[in-house]
């Protein structure tokens, strides 16, 4: 009474279970990496013009003995909260490098892979040196690895982040802006940072059918990106109509369930060996 600014929440079983899961994730991240429970999944990236496979996005999946498949939303957010996310991200870097070395060894075509990094990786790690280390260890060409950072992690005043980006660029890596349009800072960060690729968030394609406003916005985002020297990739493409619209309006690359869901690395390479994919190389 009379304390209107105070909020109260009754502790319940759901909150207890969530806390226990968080503690489990933090306590088991090292053993999960060691046991191979943290796996790389690949989602195809397609050349919009010809519909051929031109790249992959690497995604982390945790297949646990106790919980089964943990949601990425659960373990990524928890690892960030407890500043343990670099363990996961660098493990994925190494697994991707091992896979690229495998394709070279077996005479398979090598596809470029985009890697996702947390903002904390840039602020707490010698990230450029760490990524360089794994590429040199497995003799991987830098053209085969793209560095992704989400729009929501960027701010106009983060000089350390800008310094790390510049170092990546000087070392020969492509920088990709992920989830453009998902947050509120998009236009501001475009004038502060230089990126090679803009990944347009899948939210732009929700309710796409019959929504003329969505089409106009998406068309102008693609045009704007070109005018400031960026290529575009649209995520979440699920319909032929969306594919054709993006193709007609100059979006260079696309990914989404229309072309393939994320799949385990061994499954992808078996499909690659069988000739299932037509490659744009």
């Amino acid at each position: 009474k009379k304390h209107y600014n105070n909020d109260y929440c009754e502790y319940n079983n759901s909150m207890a279970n969530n806390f226990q899961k968080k503690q489990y994730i933090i306590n088991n991240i090292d053993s999960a990496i060691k046991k191979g429970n943290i796996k790389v999944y690949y989602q195809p990236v397609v050349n919009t013009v010809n519909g051929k496979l031109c790249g992959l996005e690497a995604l982390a999946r945790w297949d646990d003995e106790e919980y089964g498949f943990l949601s990425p939303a659960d373990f990524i957010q928890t690892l960030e909260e407890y500043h343990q996310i670099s363990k996961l991200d660098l493990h994925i870097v190494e697994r991707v490098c091992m896979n690229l070395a495998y394709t070279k060894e077996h005479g398979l075509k090598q596809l470029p892979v985009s890697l996702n990094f947390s903002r904390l990786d840039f602020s707490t790690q010698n990230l450029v040196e760490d990524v360089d280390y794994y590429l040199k260890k497995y003799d991987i060409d830098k053209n085969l690895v793209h560095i992704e950072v989400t729009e929501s992690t960027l701010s106009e005043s983060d000089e350390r982040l800008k310094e790390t980006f510049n170092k990546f660029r000087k070392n020969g890596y492509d920088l990709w802006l992920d989830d453009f349009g998902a947050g509120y800072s998009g236009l501001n960060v475009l004038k502060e940072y230089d990126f090679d690729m803009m990944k347009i968030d899948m939210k732009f394609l929700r309710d796409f059918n019959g929504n003329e406003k969505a089409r106009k916005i998406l068309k102008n985002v693609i045009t704007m990106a070109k005018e400031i020297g960026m290529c575009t990739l649209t995520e979440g493409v699920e319909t032929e109509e969306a594919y054709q619209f993006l193709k007609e309006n100059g979006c260079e690359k696309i990914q989404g369930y229309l072309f393939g869901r994320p799949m385990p690395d061994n499954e992808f390479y078996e499909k690659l060996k069988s000739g299932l994919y037509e490659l744009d190389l």
Side-chain angles (χ1 to χ4, degrees):
K1 187 178 180 180
K2 296 183 180 179
H3 294 279
Y4 305 113
N5 294 328
N6 294 336
D7 294 321
Y8 296 89
C9 179
E10 184 175 341
Y11 193 69
N12 56 38
N13 288 335
S14 176
M15 295 172 68
N17 291 336
N18 286 337
F19 178 75
Q20 289 173 4
K21 184 185 285 187
K22 281 187 175 184
Q23 292 303 304
Y24 182 87
I25 288 168
I26 295 305
N27 292 335
N28 287 274
I29 179 63
D30 292 319
S31 62
I33 289 173
K34 188 175 181 180
K35 293 177 182 177
N37 293 342
I38 306 290
K39 305 177 186 301
V40 175
Y41 273 49
Y42 288 120
Q43 184 168 25
V45 174
V46 169
N47 183 320
T48 313
V49 175
N50 56 28
K52 296 180 180 179
L53 188 66
C54 64
L56 302 165
E57 180 178 9
L59 302 165
R61 296 291 185 266
W62 186 333
D63 186 8
D64 189 69
E65 297 103 330
E66 181 172 332
Y67 282 94
F69 270 96
L70 286 162
S71 166
D74 283 341
F75 67 81
I76 290 174
Q77 184 175 352
T78 299
L79 292 171
E80 286 186 326
E81 182 181 344
Y82 287 83
H83 288 242
Q84 300 289 304
I85 190 66
S86 62
K87 294 179 179 179
L88 174 78
D89 291 342
L90 291 177
H91 172 67
I92 296 300
V93 172
E94 181 166 23
R95 293 300 308 179
V96 166
C97 288
M98 291 171 67
N99 286 339
L100 287 168
Y102 170 88
T103 59
K104 185 177 181 180
E105 182 183 343
H106 288 80
L108 298 171
K109 295 291 185 181
Q110 291 187 299
L111 289 159
V113 181
S114 59
L115 298 164
N116 295 281
F117 291 96
S118 165
R119 179 189 182 89
L120 293 175
D121 294 329
F122 291 91
S123 61
T124 61
Q125 297 291 315
N126 296 317
L127 189 59
V128 181
E129 290 79 4
D130 289 336
V131 174
D132 273 344
Y133 167 78
Y134 287 115
L135 266 68
K136 289 175 183 175
K137 179 179 179 180
Y138 295 97
D139 192 25
I140 306 301
D141 192 315
K142 292 175 182 177
N143 291 328
L144 293 171
V145 172
H146 307 314
I147 307 299
E148 282 196 30
V149 59
T150 60
E151 175 204 318
S152 59
T153 69
L154 304 177
S155 66
E156 297 176 65
S157 58
D158 195 328
E159 294 303 321
R160 180 168 182 173
L161 194 61
K162 291 177 184 177
E163 182 181 331
T164 306
F165 282 1
N166 289 335
K167 197 170 182 180
F168 266 122
R169 189 176 293 283
K170 288 178 182 177
N171 282 25
Y173 294 93
D174 273 8
L175 296 177
W176 288 23
L177 175 62
D178 193 16
D179 293 340
F180 179 81
Y184 300 99
S185 60
L187 295 177
N188 284 328
V189 301
L190 287 180
K191 64 182 176 62
E192 297 291 334
Y193 297 89
D194 292 321
F195 290 97
D196 301 285
M197 177 73 70
M198 174 194 289
K199 294 188 71 175
I200 301 170
D201 189 75
M202 64 179 65
K203 289 180 181 178
F204 280 96
L205 292 180
R206 288 179 187 166
D207 303 319
F208 180 78
N209 293 345
N211 189 331
E212 193 59 34
K213 187 183 291 187
R215 292 168 180 262
K216 289 179 179 179
I217 293 172
L218 189 51
K219 179 179 179 180
N220 279 281
V221 167
I222 294 168
T223 301
M224 176 189 65
K226 289 181 181 296
E227 290 181 350
I228 59 176
M230 297 171 65
C231 296
T232 52
L233 184 160
T234 302
E235 302 173 289
V237 179
E238 298 183 1
T239 66
E240 187 67 27
E241 181 183 5
Y243 170 30
Q244 291 303 323
F245 175 85
L246 293 165
K247 181 178 180 179
E248 291 167 7
N249 286 280
C251 180
E252 289 91 350
K253 298 181 180 181
I254 45 182
Q255 69 181 97
Y257 289 174
L258 183 64
F259 306 99
R261 295 173 179 266
M263 68 191 83
D265 53 2
N266 58 340
E267 179 182 330
F268 169 75
Y269 286 114
E270 286 303 316
K271 290 181 177 180
L272 190 63
K273 286 179 184 177
S274 70
L276 181 66
Y277 293 113
E278 192 173 2
L279 304 182
D280 179 45
L281 294 170

